[in-house]
């Protein structure tokens, strides 16, 4: 069955980018590409991607500055209220609730999983829609004090796996459900 998985790096204080959407704090950290919870193994299980507009724009800007091109081979859903241009035929620009796209995401993923790339509020929208099974974080040894949040709703998770990958503490959690309100 298709799983919806949020896989991201984060600072110890729960930010996935700084206030200017920079990942400078992340990109110079040592990591073993074949180590614990590595990206290569993860992306091999992924059949469709979901990301918010800021993340999409970051990838486009990064590619422009490095001369790289769009690297994802899987179909990608970009959530935005704006009329953004899809960078390839496999990018769909969409708006609305995650539930509006559940069936097409599951169909596109086939026997594989859906990667919620970020940001944290979009991942929380997927959780609220009952469309988030797993959170996988690589925690960098950095605090920023402010920035783009890892997650924006109160949820209980269950720790399923953890390990060290060079500078990172890596952990995989099942999503249990929203924290009960008093
Ligand atoms: N550390 C990591 O590994 C990692 C991973 C992923 C991302 N990042 C970075 O983290 C930052 C995340 O940025 P962010 O917090 O702004 O989150 P984001 O999800 O990338 O972008 C948020 C934007 O997505 C659009 N959006 C979200 N939900 C929507 C919905 N239901 N319908 C339509 N549009 C919707 C809105 O854009 P509009 O209203 O403007 O259209 C919203 O302002 C980026 O800098 C990204 O590069 C880091």
């Amino acid at each position: 069955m298709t799983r919806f998985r949020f896989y991201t790096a984060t600072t110890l204080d729960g930010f996935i980018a700084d206030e200017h959407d920079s990942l400078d704090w992340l990109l110079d950290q040592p990591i073993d590409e074949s180590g614990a919870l590595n990206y290569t193994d993860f992306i091999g299980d992924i059949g469709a991607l979901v990301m918010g507009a800021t993340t999409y724009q970051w990838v486009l800007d990064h590619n422009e500055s490095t001369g790289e091109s769009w690297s994802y081979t899987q179909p990608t859903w970009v959530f935005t209220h704006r009329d953004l241009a899809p960078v390839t035929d496999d990018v769909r620009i969409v708006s609305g609730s995650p539930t509006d796209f559940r069936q097409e995401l599951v169909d596109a993923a086939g026997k594989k999983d859906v990667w919620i790339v970020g940001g944290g509020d979009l991942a929380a929208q997927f959780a609220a829609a009952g469309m988030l099974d797993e959170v996988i974080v690589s925690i960098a040894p950095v605090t920023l004090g402010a920035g783009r949040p890892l997650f924006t709703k109160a949820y209980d998770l269950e720790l399923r796996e953890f390990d060290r990958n060079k500078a990172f503490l890596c952990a995989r959690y099942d999503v249990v459900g929203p924290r009960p309100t008093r």
Side-chain angles (χ1 to χ4, degrees):
M1 212 173 103
T2 300
R3 290 171 295 177
F4 289 83
R5 308 168 81 187
F6 181 32
Y7 176 95
T8 188
T10 178
T11 67
L12 181 60
D13 56 346
F15 299 107
I16 62 170
D18 77 9
E19 288 169 303
H20 309 289
D21 294 305
S22 170
L23 299 182
D24 285 355
W25 55 274
L26 172 64
L27 298 177
D28 59 357
Q29 298 289 344
I31 189 157
D32 175 357
E33 305 287 352
S34 55
L37 295 175
N38 68 76
Y39 176 78
T40 307
D41 289 348
F42 174 77
I43 198 76
D45 288 338
I46 296 302
L49 273 63
V50 167
M51 63 181 71
T54 316
T55 300
Y56 179 63
Q57 194 57 55
W58 186 92
V59 175
L60 298 188
D61 293 347
H62 178 77
N63 286 351
E64 192 176 312
S65 68
T66 59
E68 294 168 52
S69 50
W70 184 257
S71 64
Y72 302 114
T73 54
Q74 302 89 339
T76 300
W77 277 250
V78 174
F79 280 74
T80 181
H81 301 97
R82 288 169 284 153
D83 193 17
L84 298 179
V87 68
T88 75
D89 289 347
D90 266 346
V91 169
R92 293 119 168 95
I93 305 294
V94 302
S95 176
S97 163
T99 49
D100 300 339
F101 303 97
R102 180 197 292 264
Q103 198 54 55
E104 59 190 79
L105 286 166
V106 168
D107 290 347
K111 290 191 164 61
K112 295 192 171 186
D113 296 329
V114 177
W115 177 19
I116 320 289
V117 183
D121 186 64
L122 187 62
Q125 291 178 49
F126 271 73
M131 292 168 65
L132 190 63
D133 300 297
E134 236 181 32
V135 177
I136 304 162
V137 286
S138 295
I139 305 169
V142 178
T143 61
L144 290 175
R148 307 298 179 211
L150 170 65
F151 210 70
T152 59
K153 295 189 193 307
Y155 266 71
D156 286 321
L157 309 172
E158 183 178 352
L159 181 62
R160 305 294 283 189
E161 183 182 351
F162 64 93
D163 208 338
R164 178 181 185 165
N165 186 322
K166 293 210 170 169
F168 295 89
L169 175 63
C170 305
R172 184 170 64 82
Y173 301 85
D174 282 347
V175 174
V176 175
R179 285 191 62 73
T181 47
R182 292 192 191 179

